[in-house]
């Protein structure tokens, strides 16, 4: 049984060493869980999970394996809608017959009954004592008055439930999630390493050295200071707008805001393109004809020390990338989009491509010819927390 649990955890992306797994088996053998399912959950998580960013993966694997419910689609969308719109009903002590107060339930029996309700239910229920719903005395749903059941969505009306499904409390800690503005800003702080120290008095608190010196000093606080930095990072930011990038407009706007709120750059220049970079880039996200500058203007006015970040999904027809007449919105000026991209890549020493749809393995995906070509030309990364960190790390390399 437990070896299958091991493979379920691995399938969710958790890295578990054999030593850690044997430690869990030893904890079971010594009875540390005390035959308590909740204890098993917390102890196994403590042993097997190394970072809070993996808590959500562990929860998904745990629910899938032990509750026989696929975590990616834990309940039908229709059922979730019923639960979301059901108004909470007040508990009426004068009508207690509609509520069930059975407190002694076997875990396997609860799971079996829950599966039966899922297969049978075809309408919304609120206030009853049998179906999955809200309020009432049913063992399944939320805002009910029943001890020992399964809570599905929302917060339960009582503190004790056999399990909690759908909460996903740790999903914001995942490293593979799409970024928000705060996470963008945190990643861009790493670019501070590009900046140089000013030859002035040490007035900036050095947090790492303060912690180290305080520890070395037996816990007595010892403040350490360093010279402030001068921003030396110059950034050229190119956004793909419109078309297949429309679903990612909010994400790109957050990146834009994070860049301009950051104080780690000496200079930031932002331009836009549609699908592919051609002889001209646009001044605004609307990509209006005529409201553009020549790519050669960028080459002339922004030197090779600028770090280039391209944001786009690389989703375009091959002729848009490889044909010298592939730009149907504007001039090509004698080169294909791919050739203009080659010129851009050769001009700047460091550039990365952040792709919200990035496919790391394109084996057999012949229709992804454009992404395949661009991922070989540029250093392409997924637009996620880990992807941005990897991109920043590459930009920071000195060679």
């Amino acid at each position: 049984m437990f070896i299958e649990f091991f493979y379920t955890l691995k399938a969710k992306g958790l890295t578990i060493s054999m030593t850690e797994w044997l430690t869990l088996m030893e904890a079971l053998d010594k009875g540390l869980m005390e035959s308590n399912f909740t204890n098993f959950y917390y102890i196994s998580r403590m042993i097997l999970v190394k970072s809070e960013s993996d808590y959500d993966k562990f929860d998904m694997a745990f629910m899938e394996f032990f509750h026989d419910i696929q975590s990616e689609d834990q309940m039908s969308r229709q059922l979730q809608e019923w639960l979301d719109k059901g108004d909470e009903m007040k508990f009426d002590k004068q009508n207690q017959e509609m509520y069930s107060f059975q407190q002694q339930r076997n875990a396997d029996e609860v799971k079996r009954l829950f599966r039966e309700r899922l297969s049978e239910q075809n309408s919304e229920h609120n206030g009853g004592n049998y179906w999955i719903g809200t309020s009432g005395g049913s063992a399944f749903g939320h805002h009910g008055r029943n001890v020992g059941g399964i809570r599905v969505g929302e917060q339960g009306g009582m503190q004790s439930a056999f399990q909690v499904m759908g909460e996903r409390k740790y999903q914001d800690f995942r490293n593979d999630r799409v970024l928000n503005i705060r996470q963008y800003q945190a990643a861009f702080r790493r670019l501070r390493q590009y900046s140089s120290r000013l030859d002035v008095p040490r007035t900036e608190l050095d947090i790492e050295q303060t912690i180290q010196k305080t520890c070395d000093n037996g816990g007595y606080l010892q403040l350490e200071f360093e010279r402030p930095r001068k921003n030396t990072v110059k950034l050229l930011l190119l956004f793909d707008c419109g078309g297949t990038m429309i679903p990612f407009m909010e994400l790109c706007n957050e990146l834009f805001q994070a860049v301009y709120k950051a104080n780690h750059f000496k200079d930031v220049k932002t331009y836009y393109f549609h699908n592919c970079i051609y002889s001209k880039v646009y001044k605004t996200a609307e990509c209006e004809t005529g409201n553009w500058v020549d790519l050669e203007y960028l080459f002339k006015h922004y030197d090779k020390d600028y770090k280039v970040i391209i944001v786009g999904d690389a989703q375009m027809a091959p002729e848009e990338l490889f044909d010298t007449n592939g730009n149907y919105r504007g001039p090509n000026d004698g080169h294909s989009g791919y050739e203009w991209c080659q010129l851009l890549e050769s001009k700047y020493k460091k550039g990365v491509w952040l792709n919200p749809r990035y496919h790391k393995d394109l084996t057999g995906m012949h229709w992804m010819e454009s992404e395949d070509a661009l991922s070989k030309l540029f250093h392409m990364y997924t637009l996620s927390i880990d992807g941005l960190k990897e991109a920043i790390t590459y930009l920071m390399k000195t060679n």
Side-chain angles (χ1 to χ4, degrees):
M1 171 183 176
F2 282 104
I3 193 64
E4 295 178 8
F5 180 43
F6 174 80
Y7 286 117
T8 302
L9 293 166
K10 298 282 284 185
K12 291 300 178 185
L14 287 167
T15 302
I16 301 172
S17 69
M18 189 55 61
T19 300
E20 292 165 341
W21 186 252
L22 291 176
T23 300
L24 176 61
M25 295 300 101
E26 184 179 359
L28 282 168
D29 185 60
K30 292 183 177 181
L32 298 183
M33 283 67 167
E34 298 178 342
S35 300
N36 184 290
F37 195 66
T38 301
N39 289 349
F40 174 73
Y41 166 80
Y42 285 109
I43 293 176
S44 59
R45 190 180 75 177
M46 178 182 66
I47 294 173
L48 301 177
V49 181
K50 306 173 184 65
S51 169
E52 67 275 5
S53 62
D54 288 331
Y55 279 178
D56 188 57
K57 298 176 186 177
F58 179 81
D59 285 352
M60 292 172 66
F62 202 88
M63 286 189 295
E64 179 175 320
F65 184 79
F66 288 103
H67 302 301
D68 197 25
I69 298 171
Q70 292 297 318
S71 59
E72 297 299 333
D73 186 18
Q74 295 170 359
M75 59 198 105
S76 70
R77 182 174 299 177
Q78 186 178 34
L79 176 59
Q80 184 63 64
E81 291 175 354
W82 294 337
L83 294 172
D84 286 344
K85 68 182 181 181
D87 294 332
E88 181 179 3
M89 299 174 61
K90 300 298 182 181
F91 176 61
D92 187 355
K93 293 183 178 180
Q94 296 180 352
N95 295 301
Q96 294 190 15
E97 65 274 7
M98 71 178 292
Y99 297 94
S100 167
F101 287 93
Q102 180 183 354
Q103 297 190 24
Q104 300 299 322
R105 285 191 175 89
N106 176 272
D108 292 333
E109 179 68 9
V110 171
K111 289 187 289 183
R112 183 186 65 79
L113 291 173
F114 182 67
R115 288 193 294 267
E116 288 181 2
R117 301 294 190 276
L118 280 176
S119 63
E120 296 171 357
Q121 186 163 337
N122 57 16
S123 62
E124 177 183 346
H125 289 271
N126 303 301
N129 62 1
Y130 181 82
W131 296 109
I132 303 171
T134 63
S135 301
S138 171
F140 315 108
H142 65 78
H143 282 118
R145 299 299 188 275
N146 195 308
V147 179
I150 295 179
R151 184 165 76 243
V152 185
E154 292 293 333
Q155 291 184 341
M158 300 185 72
Q159 291 183 345
S160 59
F162 180 73
Q163 72 182 77
V164 177
M165 298 176 57
E167 283 190 348
R168 304 289 301 280
K169 294 187 297 183
Y170 299 101
Q171 58 182 325
D172 287 338
F173 291 86
R174 293 182 66 130
N175 280 341
D176 54 356
R177 291 190 71 239
V178 173
L179 298 172
N180 58 37
I181 190 169
R182 179 185 61 80
Q183 293 160 333
Y184 275 130
Q185 291 173 320
F188 280 128
R189 288 194 187 101
R190 301 188 66 184
L191 286 171
R192 282 175 58 85
Q193 297 183 40
Y194 275 123
S195 58
S196 58
R197 296 290 181 185
L198 299 175
D199 188 16
V200 295
R202 297 175 181 269
T203 58
E204 186 176 284
L205 180 65
D206 187 333
I207 296 178
E208 291 186 2
Q209 283 300 313
T210 294
I211 294 174
Q212 183 63 51
K213 292 294 185 181
T214 300
C215 292
D216 294 342
N217 204 27
Y220 289 96
L221 180 62
Q222 181 174 331
L223 297 177
E224 293 292 322
F225 294 88
E226 60 184 356
R227 295 184 178 91
R229 290 181 180 272
K230 177 182 179 182
N231 294 333
T232 58
V233 180
K234 296 181 290 185
L235 182 64
L236 180 59
L237 194 59
L238 303 173
F239 281 107
D240 182 3
C241 295
T244 56
M245 282 296 291
I246 290 178
F248 307 103
M249 289 177 59
E250 183 178 353
L251 183 63
C252 290
N253 182 61
E254 289 180 345
L255 174 58
F256 179 88
Q257 295 295 330
V259 169
Y260 278 89
K261 287 182 179 180
N263 58 357
H264 317 309
F265 307 109
K266 179 179 181 180
D267 188 31
V268 178
K269 301 298 181 184
T270 304
Y271 293 95
Y272 305 87
F273 64 95
H274 178 66
N275 284 355
C276 185
I277 298 170
Y278 296 105
S279 62
K280 300 181 186 300
V281 288
Y282 297 89
K283 297 179 181 179
T284 65
E286 288 76 20
C287 295
E288 296 177 345
T289 300
N291 190 21
W292 53 37
V293 298
D294 291 333
L295 194 62
E296 292 182 346
Y297 173 89
L298 272 61
F299 297 162
K300 181 178 179 180
H301 290 82
Y302 309 133
D303 61 49
K304 62 182 180 179
D305 290 328
Y306 273 78
K307 315 300 176 185
V308 179
I309 297 180
I310 305 171
V311 182
D313 60 3
Q315 301 291 304
M316 68 200 81
E319 56 269 21
E320 290 183 79
L321 181 62
F322 297 110
D323 198 298
T324 54
N325 296 310
N327 182 14
Y328 63 90
R329 296 176 60 124
N332 293 268
D333 291 343
H335 294 296
S336 67
Y338 185 75
E339 289 171 331
W340 282 113
C341 288
Q342 284 180 311
L343 290 171
L344 178 68
E345 191 277 334
S346 63
K347 167 65 179 180
Y348 297 100
K349 295 187 295 184
K350 288 297 176 66
V352 296
W353 189 302
L354 299 176
N355 188 342
R357 303 180 190 266
Y358 182 43
H359 302 83
K360 292 185 178 181
D361 185 5
L362 293 170
T363 304
M365 300 174 67
H366 306 295
W367 59 92
M368 303 297 294
E369 182 179 355
S370 296
E371 180 181 323
D372 185 43
L374 290 171
S375 65
K376 292 175 180 177
L377 180 61
F378 295 97
H379 289 262
M380 189 172 287
Y381 303 91
T382 306
L383 194 53
S384 66
I385 299 174
D386 283 346
L388 183 56
K389 286 181 179 179
E390 291 174 7
I392 296 299
T393 298
Y394 169 73
L395 291 176
M396 288 167 54
K397 290 182 180 178
T398 57
N399 54 0

